[in-house]
Amino acid sequence: MSDNNEKFTIRNGRVLIYQRENCGGNYHCRIRFQGKRGYVRKSLWTTDKQEAIDEAERFFDDLNYKVKRGLSIAGKK
């Protein structure tokens, strides 16, 4: 992630939001859950900081719901 413009965390550091120049300046997020291997990454498809925060929080809530119920959080392979 050496091409980042900006990085910041939300949810007590559990969600990293970062901006990438080589993707049109869109924000992306990276989430890691305790007891799960690796990270879950997702493009937030926006260049607006507040929209990115809102979308990352929605994504975190969806994944957290799945984790608490023992469902898979793995994306399509």
Side-chain angles (χ1 to χ4, degrees):
M1 291 191 317
S2 62
D3 57 342
N4 290 351
N5 287 338
E6 182 179 8
K7 291 185 204 180
F8 55 94
T9 60
I10 58 174
R11 299 284 176 114
N12 295 324
R14 296 178 71 185
V15 179
L16 173 70
I17 300 175
Y18 56 97
Q19 193 174 33
R20 295 181 57 186
E21 286 180 17
N22 64 353
C23 293
N26 284 334
Y27 282 95
H28 298 252
C29 70
R30 185 180 78 187
I31 303 170
R32 183 169 188 176
F33 289 96
Q34 228 174 1
K36 299 290 182 184
R37 188 174 177 179
Y39 295 101
V40 178
R41 294 179 180 93
K42 179 181 170 58
S43 174
L44 302 173
W45 297 101
T46 184
T47 56
D48 181 69
K49 186 175 182 176
Q50 189 57 51
E51 282 182 41
I53 291 169
D54 294 343
E55 182 61 29
E57 287 183 341
R58 279 191 293 273
F59 185 57
F60 176 82
D61 290 340
D62 290 344
L63 290 180
N64 197 39
Y65 175 87
K66 290 180 178 182
V67 167
K68 287 185 177 187
R69 280 146 186 82
L71 302 172
S72 173
I73 59 171
K76 295 179 184 177
K77 299 285 181 186

